[in-house]
Amino acid sequence: NQQLVGLNQAQDPANDPDLFFDPVTKATVRKGAQANTSPLGGGGGGVAAPVASSTVAAAPAATTTPVAVVDDNTASCAPPVTVTVTSTPAAATIADTTGTCAPPTTVTVTVDADGTDPKEVSTTAAPPAATSQAAATPAAPSSALDFGSCTNPAVEFGPAFEGRKLSENSFQPQNKNEFPQASALNGQIVLNAICNILNDRCKAPAATVAACKAAVTAVANVVGGAKADQFNAALGIASDFANVPAAPGGGPGSAALASTANFNKCDVPTIEFGIFDGRTENSFAPSGNGFVHGSALNGNIITQFICDRVKSDCNANTVAINDCTAAIAATQGKTGQAFADAFNTAVAQNV
C-alpha cells in the first residue's frame, strides 16, 4: 500500500537509534539488518551486521557443557582458532595466531541448568610451544547474578527519603545513579522499576531479569524492612533493614540511630508545674523550643499539645513520637509535680 511508504516501527527516542527489538525472534538487531528496521519503500541504507549474541544451552541433567574442542592430530597444522565465551564480568578469548601448530585445547563453561547464566570459565590446554601465548581468563564472582553494566540493584528501607518526614518510612534504590527511581511507600513500585531498569538500561541477562521479577512476586505481601531484605537476598545481596532501617534520607543506618529519639526541629519537651501567666494557683506549662502554649490547670491539655507538636511541626522520628505517647500514659493517675515528673522522665527515656 503506497500510503505506508516511508513508515517503520516506532522506537523510544532514548534508545540507541541503530538498535531495534524484534518481537518475533526476541533479539536485538541493528538498523538495516531486517527490512522492518528501515522505512518502507527503501531509504534504510545498507544492511549492517546483526548484533552479535551467543547462547550456551545446557542439558537439563548436567551443569557442565563442553563448548568447543579443537584437536589436530594430523601431520598438518590446524588453522588459527579463536573461541569466545560470554562470562561475568567480562568475555574470555583464547586465541593462537602464531605460525606453529596450536596444542589441543578444551574450553568448558559451567552454567545453570537452564543454560542462561554462565558462572565460571575454565580453560585447559597442553603445555604451550615456545612461541605460543595464552590469554588470562578472569574469574567470575561465585554465586552472583550478572547485573549487566550496573553493580547494585538493592533496595533500602528507612525514614525521611527525599524530604519525607522522619516518622515516614519508604523504599528507594540504594544506587540512585544506576537506578533513578523515586522513593515510594509502596515497595512494589520501586522493585518493579529496578527490574525494568536492569533489563532496559543495565542490559542484564534474561536470567537475572527473571530472578528479579520472581523476587518481586515473592515479596508482594511482605511489609517493611523485611520486604527489602527478602528482595535483596533473592539477588544475592545481604541486608538487615527489618532490624536496622537506613539512615534518615538514605544510606547505612545503625542500631543506635534507629533506637534514639530525635525531636529534630524542637527541644526535648518538658512540663513545668508552678505559678504561670499571672495565675494565683499552680498550673502546668510546656517548656522547650517549639512548644509555645499558655498554662493550664489540666495537665492533659499540655501533654496532648506537646505530642501533637512532636508529630507535626517538630518532624520527630518514630521513636520520639512513641516515647511522647508513652509519657502521656505515664502521667495517668498522678497530679501536681508528680504528673510533670512522670511525663518528663518518660518522654526523654531514649534521648
Side-chain angles (χ1 to χ4, degrees):
N1 192 315
Q2 291 301 312
Q3 291 178 316
L4 299 180
V5 173
L7 299 180
N8 64 299
Q9 52 189 1
Q11 190 176 28
D12 190 324
N15 289 348
D16 186 327
D18 292 328
L19 298 181
F20 289 79
F21 176 74
D22 186 349
V24 177
T25 63
K26 292 181 169 51
T28 300
V29 295
R30 287 193 182 279
K31 183 176 181 179
Q34 295 179 181
N36 59 357
T37 64
S38 299
L40 295 177
V47 177
V51 176
S53 62
S54 61
T55 302
V56 181
T63 59
T64 302
T65 304
V67 175
V69 177
V70 180
D71 191 359
D72 180 21
N73 294 321
T74 66
S76 61
C77 294
V81 175
T82 299
V83 179
T84 301
V85 179
T86 301
S87 65
T88 305
T93 303
I94 301 101
D96 178 68
T97 57
T98 67
T100 62
C101 294
T105 302
T106 301
V107 179
T108 303
V109 179
T110 302
V111 299
D112 288 343
D114 60 2
T116 59
D117 187 18
K119 296 289 186 184
E120 180 179 332
V121 176
S122 61
T123 305
T124 59
T131 57
S132 65
Q133 299 178 353
T137 303
S142 60
S143 66
L145 292 171
D146 179 358
F147 302 130
S149 63
C150 299
T151 59
N152 181 18
V155 66
E156 62 183 356
F157 175 80
F161 293 162
E162 300 177 325
R164 295 177 184 271
K165 291 185 176 181
L166 279 177
S167 59
E168 185 174 81
N169 290 317
S170 60
F171 300 84
Q172 71 177 8
Q174 279 189 332
N175 190 327
K176 285 291 192 72
N177 292 327
E178 294 180 341
F179 298 89
Q181 166 63 35
S183 64
L185 298 177
N186 183 349
Q188 294 297 99
I189 294 174
V190 178
L191 304 188
N192 276 308
I194 287 175
C195 293
N196 290 336
I197 294 172
L198 272 174
N199 181 65
D200 301 334
R201 179 171 177 171
C202 305
K203 306 301 182 185
T208 300
V209 176
C212 185
K213 292 182 177 180
V216 174
T217 301
V219 303
N221 297 319
V222 183
V223 298
K227 185 186 196 75
D229 294 337
Q230 292 180 28
F231 174 81
N232 293 340
L235 299 182
I237 303 170
S239 63
D240 189 23
F241 295 111
N243 297 309
V244 182
S254 67
L257 186 64
S259 61
T260 300
N262 181 358
F263 290 92
N264 198 15
K265 299 177 182 179
C266 301
D267 292 341
V268 178
T270 57
I271 291 180
E272 296 180 351
F273 180 70
I275 303 297
F276 307 107
D277 302 330
R279 294 176 181 270
T280 59
E281 70 281 340
N282 287 321
S283 61
F284 298 91
S287 177
N289 181 46
F291 303 98
V292 178
H293 191 282
S295 61
L297 297 177
N298 183 348
N300 291 321
I301 294 175
I302 304 302
T303 58
Q304 190 60 59
F305 161 75
I306 288 175
C307 290
D308 287 344
R309 293 282 292 181
V310 167
K311 293 178 182 177
S312 57
D313 293 356
C314 296
N315 190 18
N317 69 357
T318 301
V319 178
I321 292 173
N322 292 341
D323 285 351
C324 197
T325 300
I328 290 178
T331 64
Q332 300 307 301
K334 296 179 174 60
T335 59
Q337 189 61 49
F339 181 101
D341 291 344
F343 180 88
N344 295 342
T345 299
V347 79
Q349 62 182 309
N350 289 308
V351 174

